[in-house]
Amino acid sequence: MASCQAPKENNTEEVSFTVINAVDREDFVLEIPLTKIKEKNNDLDFENLSVQMSEENIPFEIDQISVSLLCLIPETKAGKDYELTIKTKSLDEPNFTIKKRTQAELSHKVGGEFQNRKYIGGEFKNVHELKVPQEHTDHSYFIRYEGPGWESDKVGYRFYLDWRNGIDVFGKKTPEMVLLGVGQDGFDSYHEPAGWGMDILKVGPSLGLGSIATWEDGKARRVDATDSLYVDIAQDGALRSTIKTNYYGWDIQNGKTDLLSTISIDAGSRMSKIELIASNGINNFCTGLIKSDKAPLKVSDQTKKFSYIASYGQQSLADDMLGIAVIFPTEQLQTITEDANSHVVVLNPENSKEISYYILAAWEQEPDGIKDEAAFYNYLAHQIDLLSKPAKIE
C-alpha cells in the first residue's frame, strides 16, 4: 500500500483538465505529463496532491520514468467529457490510500558461489538491479524463476535472463500481488498448480509471448548472444511497474548493437508495453507467438492504427483455455510469417532503431476470466480500439 505524505502548508492551488474519450473505458490509467500540469499551475505541491474526477477522489502516482502523473480512472463513456481536478491537499484533507495493483521484481541468490555454472548454497534476495554474471546460464539456480517478473492484478509475466531470453506467462487466480512468493518453495514449484496460479505457457525454443528477436535465414532468433546483460527494476509502482534491460553487444546478422528494452504494465490491464531502442539499425526485427495445434492463429485486418496476431485454445500448461496476442503499430508491419516453432510478425522499426508493441494473455482461471474464444476476440478488438483511439486531455 502507498499513501501521500502530510501537507506542508494549507494550499488550495489547483488545475483542471477535461478528459475527452471516444471509446468506453473502465479501470484504466491516464497519463498526464507533469510539464502540461506545470504549464497551467506551477505552484502545486507535487508531494501532497489530491486528484478528483466527478468530485470523487481517485488513485494516482507520479511516474518518474515518463515524468507524468498517472491517474486511475474508474470509468468513462464514449463521447462524454469528464473534468479531472488536480490540487494541493489542504491541511484538513485526509490521506488517500492507494492499493498496490502492479509489481516488478528481481531476486537472485547471495551467500553461495558458482561451481561449473551452477550456483551452490545461498539464499534469495530481492534487488533493484543486476549485472548478470558471466557464469550464469539457464538452470544455474541463481535467479528466482530465472529472470525478472512483472504483474498486474490480472496476470503476471517473466523473461529468462539468459541466452534463451523468452517471455513466459504466470496465470493468476487472485488479483493480489503474488510474485514475491513465487519460486520460494522450490526452484521449479511454479510449474505446479498453487493457490495463486501457475506458469501456464510452454516457451521452449519458440518466441513464447512477444519475445525480442530478429528474422534470420527463415527463422526467428531470440537475443541469444550478447557481451553482457544489465537489468534495472526501474519502477515498482502501485499503478505502473517497469523493467529496463540493457543488452550490450547483441550479436545479430548485420553486426553488434546495444539494445535497451523497457517493459511496463498498468493496473487493471493484461497488456504489457515493450519499447525497444537499438544503437544501430535493425531492419529485420521480429516478435511473435508460440505455435500450438490446439490454438490456431488469427490475424486482425490492418484497418486501424494497431493490429494483432493472436491465438486462443486449450494451450495452457494447466490443459485449459488460454488466449495470447501481440499487438503492434499497423504502419510498422513488414510481414507475417512463421518458422517451425513460432508465428512471427516482422516489423519495420522507426528510424531503423526504435519500436514498441504490446503483449497480453488471458487465462480462463482468472477471477472473472475470459472463458471462450468469442469473448477473447471481442476483448482483443476492444483493446485495439482503446490503443487506436486514446483518451485525451484538454
Side-chain angles (χ1 to χ4, degrees):
M1 310 292 282
S3 62
C4 298
Q5 302 174 15
K8 297 176 181 178
E9 300 288 345
N10 190 1
N11 190 335
T12 57
E13 293 290 342
E14 65 179 52
V15 61
S16 293
F17 292 95
T18 301
V19 181
I20 301 171
N21 182 48
V23 183
D24 287 349
R25 301 172 190 268
E26 60 180 22
D27 198 27
F28 71 98
V29 173
L30 178 68
E31 182 178 308
I32 307 176
L34 294 190
T35 53
K36 186 178 287 289
I37 299 172
K38 290 177 179 179
E39 283 174 5
K40 293 289 185 180
N41 191 330
N42 201 33
D43 295 326
L44 291 172
D45 181 357
F46 283 90
E47 293 185 357
N48 295 290
L49 291 180
S50 173
V51 180
Q52 294 182 335
M53 193 174 82
S54 302
E55 299 184 349
E56 296 289 333
N57 286 327
I58 62 171
F60 68 92
E61 70 182 7
I62 292 178
D63 179 21
Q64 299 297 342
I65 298 172
S66 64
V67 196
S68 298
L69 183 71
L70 306 179
C71 304
L72 187 65
I73 309 297
E75 185 179 30
T76 57
K77 294 295 184 182
K80 183 178 179 181
D81 296 346
Y82 298 81
E83 186 176 82
L84 188 75
T85 301
I86 305 163
K87 64 180 182 178
T88 301
K89 285 197 306 180
S90 60
L91 286 172
D92 58 353
E93 188 173 348
N95 288 343
F96 184 71
T97 302
I98 307 171
K99 183 176 182 179
K100 187 167 178 58
R101 295 179 59 188
T102 71
Q103 185 162 258
E105 67 148 8
L106 175 65
S107 175
H108 68 81
K109 282 189 173 180
V110 296
E113 63 178 2
F114 277 100
Q115 296 180 12
N116 298 319
R117 307 198 77 174
K118 306 292 185 185
Y119 198 83
I120 308 301
E123 59 184 18
F124 287 118
K125 177 183 178 182
N126 272 59
V127 296
H128 294 293
E129 57 189 2
L130 174 67
K131 182 178 180 180
V132 180
Q134 291 292 335
E135 300 93 332
H136 179 255
T137 186
D138 61 290
H139 297 88
S140 283
Y141 306 100
F142 173 63
I143 300 175
R144 185 159 55 84
Y145 55 77
E146 300 198 272
W150 65 102
E151 65 180 315
S152 70
D153 40 349
K154 300 291 187 183
V155 65
Y157 302 98
R158 64 167 172 157
F159 71 84
Y160 304 122
L161 197 54
D162 53 55
W163 64 273
R164 296 169 297 172
N165 197 58
I167 297 179
D168 202 351
V169 181
F170 288 129
K172 292 177 58 174
K173 299 178 183 178
T174 172
E176 302 303 315
M177 299 297 97
V178 302
L179 286 182
L180 288 172
V182 173
Q184 297 282 17
D185 55 349
F187 191 75
D188 294 321
S189 62
Y190 48 85
H191 291 287
E192 300 299 325
W196 62 267
M198 63 179 291
D199 177 350
I200 56 173
L201 191 65
K202 176 66 174 176
V203 176
S206 78
L207 290 174
L209 174 54
S211 302
I212 304 167
T214 51
W215 183 248
E216 298 182 8
D217 301 322
K219 59 184 179 181
R221 176 188 169 192
R222 298 178 302 198
V223 189
D224 55 358
T226 60
D227 293 337
S228 62
L229 296 174
Y230 177 85
V231 183
D232 174 24
I233 305 301
Q235 178 155 303
D236 177 23
L239 303 183
R240 177 177 294 170
S241 289
T242 304
I243 298 171
K244 288 182 177 287
T245 308
N246 281 286
Y247 301 90
Y248 293 110
W250 181 17
D251 195 0
I252 57 177
Q253 202 169 48
N254 59 335
K256 287 188 176 183
T257 183
D258 297 335
L259 184 74
L260 172 62
S261 163
T262 302
I263 302 177
S264 59
I265 195 166
D266 285 353
S269 179
R270 293 182 176 91
M271 287 197 301
S272 287
K273 185 177 184 180
I274 300 177
E275 300 170 274
L276 305 174
I277 301 175
S279 60
N280 297 316
I282 301 176
N283 57 14
N284 58 340
F285 174 82
C286 73
T287 186
L289 305 172
I290 185 173
K291 278 184 176 179
S292 171
D293 294 336
K294 299 180 180 180
L297 180 71
K298 184 171 181 177
V299 179
S300 69
D301 60 38
Q302 281 84 55
T303 59
K304 297 182 179 178
K305 291 182 179 180
F306 288 85
S307 303
Y308 67 75
I309 61 170
S311 64
Y312 186 88
Q314 195 175 347
Q315 60 180 328
S316 89
L317 288 174
D319 200 30
D320 57 6
M321 307 305 282
L322 171 65
I324 54 176
V326 171
I327 301 174
F328 53 89
T330 304
E331 65 180 9
Q332 292 187 327
L333 174 62
Q334 188 177 138
T335 187
I336 295 172
T337 183
E338 64 179 354
D339 63 16
N341 303 298
S342 306
H343 302 293
V344 181
V345 54
V346 185
L347 300 172
N348 289 313
E350 185 177 345
N351 303 320
S352 298
K353 295 181 179 181
E354 298 183 21
I355 203 158
S356 66
Y357 59 96
Y358 297 82
I359 61 172
L360 67 84
W363 185 38
E364 71 165 302
Q365 292 193 49
E366 296 169 11
D368 302 317
I370 294 171
K371 306 295 186 183
D372 58 60
E373 183 175 13
F376 175 69
Y377 284 110
N378 286 338
Y379 164 79
L380 196 50
H382 186 57
Q383 302 311 302
I384 294 294
D385 280 343
L386 295 178
L387 290 171
S388 297
K389 302 173 183 178
K392 300 178 181 180
I393 56 169
E394 286 187 357

